[in-house]
Amino acid sequence: MEVAGEVLASESQLHVLAVDDSHVDRKVIEKLLKISSCKVTTVESGARALQFLGLDEEKGSLGFNGLKVNLIMTDYSMPGMTGYELLKKIKRSSAFREIPVVIMSSENILTRIDSCLEEGAEEFLVKPVKLSDVKRVMNDCIMRGETEGNNRRRVDKRKFEDDNHASSSSSSSSSIPSSPSSPLPSSPSTAATSSPLHSLKRAKLRDDN
């Protein structure tokens, strides 16, 4: 595993995990990414990429020295685990599915390209990868990150406003005095009607007189 650039680099730099079984191709993509001001970690296989990510433990996208991975660029044809298989594992992981994955291949096979894009690949680059390709991918990644950040801020703001509204409504309802319950007036018909006992007493008095 090779980590290019200073670990204490600016937080604004994108950290790219480059996966390729060819040492020459790893050096080429590393150089292009460094020219594009990226932090780079290179590994030689899909298995090493999963080990770097800690995918089996689902710990989140933190790897060597706590560097967050912003983008994964992987070769398609590799022994043991292809780039397509690595892509599927990443996209089916709850911790890593949001990380953009770019597939690279020296073979321009349409069915292979379609399969990768349908599985969630951000882009499919045909080797040799050029600096213009890398810069385009970086720009897309930055734009995507800004959009997601703005969406998160909008959601947080909406939640804050909803919480404040709910709190205000609760305070208003608790400040309204409850009206005292007034005694129910007695029914006139009930008051005017004498009880059977009173009627018997009046009848006895008339008989005595």
Side-chain angles (χ1 to χ4, degrees):
M1 183 186 301
E2 306 165 16
V3 179
E6 295 294 330
V7 171
L8 300 178
S10 170
E11 290 296 324
S12 62
Q13 282 185 297
L14 294 177
H15 179 209
V16 183
L17 175 61
V19 189
D20 203 311
D21 62 310
S22 167
H23 178 75
V24 173
D25 286 350
R26 284 201 308 274
K27 287 299 182 182
V28 170
I29 192 64
E30 178 184 317
K31 181 178 180 180
L32 295 176
L33 288 167
K34 288 176 67 177
I35 291 174
S36 301
S37 302
C38 294
K39 290 178 287 189
V40 189
T41 299
T42 59
V43 294
E44 68 279 8
S45 67
R48 290 286 283 168
L50 296 180
Q51 182 181 357
F52 175 84
L53 293 170
L55 183 59
D56 293 338
E57 298 178 2
E58 296 286 335
K59 288 182 178 178
S61 56
L62 291 175
F64 183 80
N65 286 329
L67 293 177
K68 181 177 181 180
V69 175
N70 304 106
L71 174 67
I72 298 171
M73 299 185 70
T74 179
D75 183 36
Y76 183 96
S77 298
M78 296 184 293
M81 179 185 298
T82 67
Y84 178 68
E85 291 168 335
L86 175 60
L87 169 68
K88 289 196 295 183
K89 287 184 177 293
I90 292 170
K91 292 305 177 181
R92 292 173 187 176
S93 163
S94 59
F96 299 98
R97 64 166 63 109
E98 297 303 322
I99 299 179
V101 179
V102 173
I103 305 293
M104 304 174 291
S105 177
S106 57
E107 299 175 297
N108 189 5
I109 302 175
L110 186 57
T111 54
R112 178 180 295 180
I113 296 172
D114 288 342
S115 297
C116 291
L117 295 178
E118 289 173 3
E119 197 62 40
E122 197 75 12
E123 194 162 344
F124 192 104
L125 300 179
V126 178
K127 293 181 179 181
V129 177
K130 300 182 289 295
L131 180 60
S132 58
D133 296 327
V134 172
K135 287 186 176 295
R136 185 181 69 254
V137 169
M138 293 301 104
N139 288 335
D140 291 344
C141 191
I142 292 171
M143 291 295 293
R144 171 177 174 163
E146 290 177 349
T147 300
E148 291 177 352
N150 290 335
N151 289 339
R152 281 194 297 270
R153 284 191 290 271
R154 280 195 290 270
V155 170
D156 292 341
K157 181 180 178 182
R158 189 179 304 115
K159 184 178 185 301
F160 177 76
E161 291 173 348
D162 291 343
D163 291 344
N164 281 347
H165 179 71
S167 177
S168 299
S169 300
S170 176
S171 300
S172 300
S173 60
S174 61
S175 63
I176 299 174
S178 57
S179 58
S181 57
S182 55
L184 294 174
S186 58
S187 171
S189 59
T190 305
T193 305
S194 300
S195 67
L197 180 58
H198 290 166
S199 300
L200 289 173
K201 284 182 179 179
R202 283 197 294 269
K204 188 175 184 301
L205 287 173
R206 284 197 297 269
D207 292 340
D208 291 343
N209 292 335

